[in-house]
Amino acid sequence: MRGSRLLERGPELAAAARAVGALVAEPAHGGGVLVYRGEPGLGKTALLAEIGRNARDRCTVLTARGDETHTSVPFHVTRRLLRPALEAGGGPGAARVVDLLSEQLDHSDDLDRIAAALGLAPPPPPPAAPADPQGVRGGLVRLLDGLAERLRDRPPVLLVDDAQWADAESLAWLDAFTRTRQDRGLPVLVVLAHRPPSSERHDPGVSATLAALGDRAVLTLGLESLTPEATAVLARDALGGHADEPFCHELWTVTSGNPYETVELLAKARERKVEPVAGSAALLRELGAGARGGGLVTRLEALGAGPTRLAWAIAVLGTDSTPQLLGALTGMARSEVAAHTDCLRRARIVTERSTEAPPTTPHARPTPTTPTPMPPTPAGPLEFTHPLIATAVYGSVPAETRTALHGRAARVLAEAGHGPAAASRHLLDVAPADDEDVVRRLRAAAVEHLAVGAPDAARRCLDRALAEPPGPETYAVVLYELGCASLLTAPAATVRHLRSALDLPGLDDALRVDATYRLAQVLAHSNQLGEAARTVATEAVRTPPGAGRRRLQAAHFMYEGFQAAEEDGPGRSRRLAELTADLTGADDAERALLAVRAFDAMLRGEPAADVVRLCDSALVDGAPARGLGWTDTTWGFEIPALTGIAYAFADRPDRAEALFGEAVRAFEISGWSGAHLAFAHTLLGLAHRRRGNLPRAQHHLEGGLRLADRVGRGLPVHWDTACLLVDTLLARGRTAEARDVADRYAFGPPWPGAIVLPDGPSVLGRLLLAEGRHEEAVHTLEAAAEALTVRGRHHVVWAPWPFDLARALAATDPARAARIATEAHAHAERLGAPTARGEALRCLALFATPAESRSLLTRAVAHLAASPSRYEESRARLDLAHTTGSAATLAEATSLATACGAVTARASTRPPE
């Protein structure tokens, strides 16, 4: 067996062989994750190399290694894994990416960003919006899916060595791929090898992702040191069969059975022609000191200044260590690079990086053949023969020299045509020196990182730029850029940076407005709506009249209106109405204010015709204006969302559905597959709920929750989606499922600081009534009435508490119940929407005489038949059938309810006469 070249790794190789066999037998589902953990030097690299060799005849083996010097380079490991497969078999890699993804997506922006993340195309130039990290990950997941489909005859095996040094973005991609495909089975085998977290200081985020991958693994194996018996086999293979037991035991004692140190020590003993007998034990201990740490450095320095300088350059450049770049970095001629490379090769310090399997190093049994002479000039990039050597050499470079090398490396990469992002990892390690050029290049690198969905990498660049530091004229601007870069990943840092930027001189009027607007956004998304409203209101007063001030005013009214409680809601609504009275939608600022006004008018129950007119004025030809779209970063997604929500509750869910369908498409095109896409599906669910298509509404709402769950728990979108889903399930007669959703997402008090769509307490009261918990329902609905009435919010469809409270009180307090129904009818008449009028008449019928009830329900059915609300119409027809005893009306009601996906319930019960 070929695996016999490795000693005492039979179980590990057998596990890999079984995993490869399962993948080959069932390419679509037979893969999984296999993890090997071990301390440095225990042979993880050799093991992965052997796994790759054994799988190569049947599978497509893709390999990558984490690099201690490249942990800050986003998608470094992803590129190393995928680019060989994408660039093989004809055509450049970028074309292959487009070819693969175009089968699943029709979004050019998505394709451009994924090609850029893989280094196959330049990042989209400014002013391209930052890419959503989850969207880029999702695109890379689909890319690997497509690659696996094309390679079904030779399914992919991904080997990742030294995963503890993989960049966070690549690990997040692997985590997303294995997690999203977990239920369906993986079409690839992912084999990870890494050191235990306890072995050295690791990035906590990387360690957490590795732990998650390990939890998902089909098998996790820990590598052990070699036994004395295996050490003796290696000694006799290397030095001859006459190596005696005392010598072999001393070898094991000196190396503690560490395979790397054992092989290195045996190579030294062979070079020194050490006799493998008991009397050489003391010499073994002396030689052993040179196999690690300071001994490795001493061995390197003994080769001379030239090889040492070249090794330092390789340690700094890492995977960019091509002969050309090494020559430019060190100032060596091509012949010098070749000569020093040969010297380092012969000393087993460097090797030419192979495009095949990872090199086999520790504890492979030595082959007796004569080594093939190395070519004098390396053709490809160089790398150290073992990560332990790389670590030792990099650590041995004097601090000042290392800093200088990084500075020169950044310039060399730039001169060679590499972009700012490629050079930025070196600039991160350059000592601050008040160099505006360094600041400029780091800012440019941050833009590239953001364009490919790597905000953490952008933040590192801008943090380092601040340390340079920038000059007084740009310091505030860098703080502003840093705040924007942290927006998706570190809200607290965003608030700190943007506030600091606003406190300093240097921001022009446009940047001050934008910084304030974004600060308010992150405060609002952090459930600090009051602070968000105050922030924009204060800055609006200082901002000159014009579009900038109107932008801040729109945000102020929006965030005040979003609060679950405010001191003077009617006063705010009055001021908003006065501000927008003469606006026509002449520019984006006016349109945004009109959208906020339309939403507020809807909540207040103002005439639906007026709400629709305001919504129409906020759009251009029925669609968001350029600059106010769903993915526009100037205004945010809230503005078109408010317009669509107002349409939905003004009996125009058709227009809402068109807007929300465009939201899904826009977010998918831009790769925004996190909370934004979740909210878009929630809004589509709302539109279908208002039209009475309950199964379709449930589909989108459940999809929205799944997307939101991938981002985290307790997000604002969870409240809205859970609320709508509870309401939809109740309409379908699925009370137990509605309760399960409510419990799973803690839908109930304490309520969030923001309003819930639709009104949360009203929907919770409806759920409690369906469960027969009348006392709790009445208490909840009365609390909803108190909170909304004081704010002047009387939309009886968005907050249907009057109808349910009237029904809940019908048996115990019919007089009060009738008053509530009468007041609700007055509000519905003011609103004028057929849905509200029909629902109000249906409720009034509960408290009328039989003859009046028949008349009221007949009118209710007429209104609802003219509305888009098919489910509410079915309920009104059912009540009319109960009152009249008409079999034909009952059949109509039943047929309509079935078409809506609802279970036909009994008609409403009349209170006692």
Side-chain angles (χ1 to χ4, degrees), residues 183-202:
D183 294 337
R184 295 175 287 160
L186 289 178
V188 304
L189 175 63
V190 179
V191 185
L192 302 174
H194 62 84
R195 301 176 187 180
S198 58
S199 66
E200 54 190 275
R201 294 174 62 187
H202 288 170

Side-chain angles (χ1 to χ4, degrees), residues 778-843:
V778 168
H779 177 76
T780 298
L781 293 168
E782 286 176 338
E786 181 179 357
L788 294 171
T789 301
V790 73
R791 298 189 69 181
R793 295 187 166 177
H794 301 293
H795 197 293
V796 292
V797 178
W798 175 74
W801 65 265
F803 304 144
D804 290 312
L805 183 57
R807 288 183 173 86
L809 295 173
T812 58
D813 194 347
R816 181 187 172 202
R819 287 197 302 273
I820 292 171
T822 301
E823 290 173 4
H825 178 253
H827 289 304
E829 287 298 312
R830 178 190 179 220
L831 176 60
T835 299
R837 297 176 74 184
E839 283 287 271
L841 289 169
R842 180 170 162 257
C843 187

Side-chain angles (χ1 to χ4, degrees), residues 119-291:
L120 298 169
D132 176 33
Q134 191 164 340
V136 175
R137 285 197 299 272
L140 289 169
V141 165
R142 292 188 289 275
L143 176 63
L144 185 52
D145 264 333
L147 192 61
E149 179 63 28
R150 291 199 173 192
L151 297 173
R152 185 178 287 267
D153 293 337
R154 291 177 56 82
V157 174
L158 276 54
L159 305 176
V160 182
D161 195 12
D162 282 321
Q164 77 279 353
W165 289 330
D167 60 279
E169 290 79 8
S170 292
L171 283 180
W173 160 61
L174 287 173
D175 178 60
F177 180 73
T178 57
R179 175 166 32 84
T180 56
R181 291 299 304 262
Q182 193 172 14
D183 294 337
R184 295 175 287 160
L186 289 178
V188 304
L189 175 63
V190 179
V191 185
L192 302 174
H194 62 84
R195 301 176 187 180
S198 58
S199 66
E200 54 190 275
R201 294 174 62 187
H202 288 170
D203 179 271
V206 167
S207 295
T209 307
L210 288 176
L213 285 163
D215 291 342
R216 213 170 292 127
V218 294
L219 191 62
T220 297
L221 295 169
L223 303 187
E224 301 293 337
S225 300
L226 297 178
T227 63
E229 292 74 19
T231 303
V233 171
L234 287 176
R236 290 172 181 138
D237 281 345
L239 303 179
H242 63 290
D244 62 22
E245 284 298 327
F247 177 89
C248 294
H249 190 272
E250 184 64 20
L251 174 66
W252 179 79
T253 302
V254 170
T255 62
S256 300
N258 183 286
Y260 168 76
E261 294 184 15
T262 300
V263 171
E264 280 295 306
L265 184 50
L266 286 171
K268 284 173 170 285
R270 187 169 58 243
E271 289 174 356
R272 298 284 188 91
K273 296 182 170 49
V274 173
E275 191 65 21
V277 296
S280 302
L283 185 56
L284 272 180
R285 286 190 291 273
E286 178 186 335
L287 293 175

Side-chain angles (χ1 to χ4, degrees), residues 347-563:
R348 300 181 307 283
I349 292 174
V350 302
T351 185
E352 189 171 335
R353 190 168 76 230
S354 172
T355 57
E356 298 296 324
T360 301
T361 45
H363 89 289
R365 297 183 65 176
T367 55
T369 57
T370 303
T372 302
M374 292 290 183
T377 303
L382 299 175
E383 65 181 4
F384 293 104
T385 57
H386 195 276
L388 285 172
I389 297 177
T391 299
V393 172
Y394 187 78
S396 73
V397 184
E400 291 183 1
T401 303
R402 185 166 61 241
T403 298
L405 282 171
H406 278 297
R408 287 204 296 272
R411 287 195 296 274
V412 163
L413 286 170
E415 290 167 359
H418 297 261
S424 66
R425 77 172 183 90
H426 296 288
L427 294 176
L428 294 176
D429 287 316
V430 171
D434 294 314
D435 189 336
E436 278 293 332
D437 184 60
V438 169
V439 172
R440 178 189 59 78
R441 290 194 285 166
L442 285 167
R443 291 173 65 193
V447 171
E448 290 194 357
H449 289 321
L450 288 172
V452 298
D456 287 339
R459 177 183 50 77
R460 285 192 293 269
C461 289
L462 293 168
D463 268 331
R464 173 59 189 81
L466 281 180
E468 189 61 19
E473 67 281 1
T474 57
Y475 197 96
V477 177
V478 176
L479 274 171
Y480 158 76
E481 291 170 350
L482 181 54
C484 295
S486 304
L487 191 65
L488 293 174
T489 56
T494 297
V495 170
R496 184 172 65 254
H497 296 315
L498 291 178
R499 279 182 169 154
S500 297
L502 288 165
D503 287 341
L504 293 172
L507 297 182
D508 60 26
D509 289 344
L511 280 185
R512 283 197 67 84
V513 168
D514 194 64
T516 305
Y517 194 89
R518 293 179 189 278
L519 174 57
Q521 277 183 315
V522 74
L523 288 169
H525 295 166
S526 302
N527 204 26
Q528 300 179 61
L529 285 165
E531 182 62 21
R534 286 189 292 273
T535 296
V536 287
T538 301
E539 189 65 30
V541 172
R542 297 198 293 254
T543 303
R549 176 186 280 186
R550 286 195 294 271
R551 183 183 179 199
L552 297 177
Q553 288 173 326
H556 171 227
F557 284 111
M558 181 171 64
Y559 292 134
E560 280 201 331
F562 283 173
Q563 295 177 80

Side-chain angles (χ1 to χ4, degrees), residues 62 127 175 234 243 269 332 351 414 442 457 525 552 599 614 626-627 658 665 685 767 802 837 849:
L62 305 173
D175 178 60
L234 287 176
M332 295 178 182
T351 185
L442 285 167
H525 295 166
L552 297 177
F599 181 76
L614 287 164
R626 179 182 293 274
R665 192 184 76 86
L767 171 60
R837 297 176 74 184
T849 64

